[in-house]
Amino acid sequence: MSHPNDPKLKSFIDVDSTSDFPIQNLPYGVFSTPDSVQRRVGVAIGDFVLDLAVLESEGLLKTGAERCAFAKPSLNAFMALGPKAWSSVRAQISEVLRHDSATLRDNAGLRKRALLPRKDVQLHMPFAVAGYTDFYSSKEHATNVGIMFRGKDNALQPNWLHIPIAYNGRASTVVVSGTPIVRPQGQLKPPSAEVPSFGPCKRLDFELEMGVVVGGASQMGTRLSEAQANEMIFGFVLLNDWSARDIQQWEYVPLGPFQAKAFGTSISPWVVTREALEPFRVQGPKQDPQPLPYLQQASANNYDLHLEVDLRAAKAKQAATISRTNFKYMYWSSVQQLVHHASSGCAMNVGDLLGSGTISGPEKDQRGSLLEISWNGAEPIELPGGEKRTFFEDGDSLIIRGWCQGDGYRVGFGDVEGTVMPST
Ligand code: CA
């Protein structure tokens, strides 16, 4: 039996070479349909969703657990079964969907119940977020922001090359793609004002990030090795860390962002597994100075993952691509982030979400936030149709896409989209 990542595998379902969801991917999500509103776990394949709750109840999918794992409104129960179960289930799903596998292919009744057109399903939050931590691991992004906020000589703080910097964010406002984002209100104190005032954010921004979905737990008081951290990563999602720059600039000293980041974080509905991304692992940038021993890596823990950002202005029909970059540029890897997160003895939980930090590349057109793209408002971007933007206006939409390119197929994430609504 060939491995589910084998590039030669074909499904009996036609999948275009530009689809994000070939048989080599098999990402997990949570969905419902108008006929059956109960949320359950499914896998995306081409233009369809495979209902895993149906397969499990038919005895076609074995997780090794006594209780069902897929007739559930989140992936958490399945994730808690651990990496051996993840791998085994993915192999079973791959087998069921192969072109030469008759079980589902030749059973019209089962196909009708288990394979649903993707356009007919509603996608929900794929997992219950236990905790949300946001890192700051792109050297290019940290340098750009540092230059804007503190000047060229103090761009990177002295600790940045030694610690994967992060803050604890809010799990309560992580939402699935398509959820509108209301422009936040907060304390603002522009440099020209003598005293702060409270009102709608005027510098609303996005941050292009990947999210790590932690599928394992660690005990309070224990640390993680590189191998243990790697094994605990269930998969990845696209993530937009909505940011209120004017609130942030006034509040961030001395404890870091708080309300500037607490009002909304959008994620893509499909969780692409770490296993599906294995063929796309690459070495990250050289780390100089060498990190402390507990952060040193024996493996290539970065991914060659293309990212694109579109902005659709309120009245425009068409979206404009405003950034193209790659996850491979990240200075600190997700594994290093997780190792560091547990390094004090901090317990990690099934369902923890780690934001990578804004992903900016070395070039100007590879920047992952409006703050950088418009250089803090000094260089507005011109959109097709002649409109200009420094930060978001009400009605604007932001769309992030991401994929790894294989030979004749791609392992993709779909997209994460959010539209800005007026303050209430
Ligand atoms: Ca962020």
Side-chain angles (χ1 to χ4, degrees):
M1 200 170 93
S2 42
H3 190 275
N5 288 348
D6 185 342
K8 289 195 214 64
L9 286 184
K10 292 259 181 288
S11 173
F12 63 84
I13 295 165
D14 277 337
V15 182
D16 192 83
S17 64
T18 59
S19 168
D20 279 339
F21 308 124
I23 193 168
Q24 287 81 5
N25 189 348
L26 308 176
Y28 294 95
V30 166
F31 74 99
S32 62
T33 54
D35 300 341
S36 178
V37 294
Q38 199 165 15
R39 297 182 186 191
R40 63 265 198 204
V41 175
V43 151
I45 173 80
D47 294 331
F48 292 86
V49 174
L50 179 65
D51 187 332
L52 300 190
V54 169
L55 289 196
E56 191 177 30
S57 71
E58 293 286 327
L60 296 171
L61 208 49
K62 304 255 192 300
T63 62
E66 278 176 29
R67 290 170 170 231
C68 71
F70 299 118
K72 295 269 163 80
S74 82
L75 279 165
N76 296 49
F78 172 53
M79 292 197 293
L81 298 177
K84 284 207 178 80
W86 309 340
S87 218
S88 154
V89 165
R90 184 162 176 266
Q92 293 172 59
I93 296 167
S94 173
E95 187 65 30
V96 165
L97 289 171
R98 285 177 200 185
H99 75 284
D100 53 359
S101 166
T103 317
L104 181 60
R105 186 193 65 194
D106 296 350
N107 185 336
L110 182 60
R111 247 187 8 245
K112 195 160 188 291
R113 286 191 296 130
L115 273 175
L116 309 159
R118 199 147 46 81
K119 63 177 173 44
D120 296 342
V121 311
Q122 189 182 351
L123 294 165
H124 305 280
M125 268 297 289
F127 62 102
V129 182
Y132 167 46
T133 308
D134 193 26
F135 282 83
Y136 191 57
S137 289
S138 154
K139 191 175 175 186
E140 289 81 1
H141 172 70
T143 304
N144 285 339
V145 174
I147 291 171
M148 279 183 266
F149 283 26
R150 287 182 299 274
K152 222 170 183 137
D153 295 337
N154 301 303
L156 278 190
Q157 299 281 12
N159 56 8
W160 199 92
L161 292 168
H162 300 275
I163 304 178
I165 298 292
Y167 65 94
N168 285 296
R170 289 296 298 170
S172 60
T173 29
V174 179
V175 293
V176 75
S177 175
T179 308
I181 298 296
V182 174
R183 180 180 296 274
Q185 304 212 33
Q187 275 207 24
L188 314 169
K189 190 192 158 303
S192 56
E194 278 190 21
V195 290
S197 57
F198 187 86
C201 158
K202 294 186 179 70
R203 296 161 82 83
L204 183 57
D205 199 355
F206 73 97
E207 288 189 342
L208 162 64
E209 304 194 23
M210 294 301 297
V212 168
V213 183
V214 176
S218 68
Q219 292 286 322
M220 181 176 171
T222 63
R223 292 191 296 274
L224 295 171
S225 67
E226 178 189 3
Q228 286 169 327
N230 181 60
E231 278 239 302
M232 276 169 67
I233 295 175
F234 175 75
F236 293 81
V237 290
L238 301 170
L239 186 150
N240 178 357
D241 176 30
W242 299 90
S243 299
R245 298 301 179 195
D246 37 9
I247 299 174
Q248 183 180 356
Q249 199 149 14
W250 171 230
E251 78 176 1
Y252 89 103
V253 178
L255 285 186
F258 183 46
Q259 293 302 291
K261 306 276 191 169
F263 59 93
T265 304
S266 302
I267 64 166
S268 56
W270 296 108
V271 183
V272 176
T273 60
R274 172 171 51 82
E275 189 177 286
L277 296 177
E278 286 299 326
F280 308 100
R281 274 185 189 260
V282 289
Q283 289 285 352
K286 183 175 161 46
Q287 296 187 309
D288 183 21
Q290 193 180 44
L292 290 172
Y294 82 103
L295 284 171
Q296 288 172 14
Q297 311 183 95
S299 303
N301 290 325
N302 280 38
Y303 296 93
D304 183 4
L305 196 167
H306 302 271
L307 293 159
E308 282 183 4
V309 181
D310 280 8
L311 195 164
R312 192 171 56 241
K315 292 182 195 97
K317 287 192 187 78
Q318 245 189 323
T321 301
I322 58 171
S323 181
R324 285 190 179 88
T325 187
N326 197 301
F327 191 33
K328 71 183 177 189
Y329 296 124
M330 297 308 276
Y331 189 84
W332 297 105
S333 73
S334 306
V335 168
Q336 286 176 312
Q337 291 175 342
L338 189 47
V339 165
H340 181 66
H341 206 317
S343 63
S344 64
C346 169
M348 302 306 299
N349 285 319
V350 173
D352 279 340
L353 174 66
L354 313 185
S356 61
T358 308
I359 305 163
S360 292
E363 304 300 328
K364 211 172 166 181
D365 57 358
Q366 295 179 320
R367 294 171 178 172
S369 64
L370 286 173
L371 177 71
E372 295 166 271
I373 294 171
S374 77
W375 208 251
N376 207 8
E379 300 170 15
I381 41 171
E382 195 158 327
L383 301 169
E387 279 201 74
K388 288 185 178 169
R389 283 294 181 278
T390 49
F391 294 94
F392 288 125
E393 295 190 4
D394 291 343
D396 285 353
S397 300
L398 199 281
I399 304 118
I400 300 171
R401 288 182 298 276
W403 72 94
C404 295
Q405 187 62 53
D407 185 9
Y409 69 99
R410 54 165 63 170
V411 172
F413 287 75
D415 58 29
V416 56
E417 171 164 5
T419 300
V420 176
M421 309 302 277
S423 271
T424 49

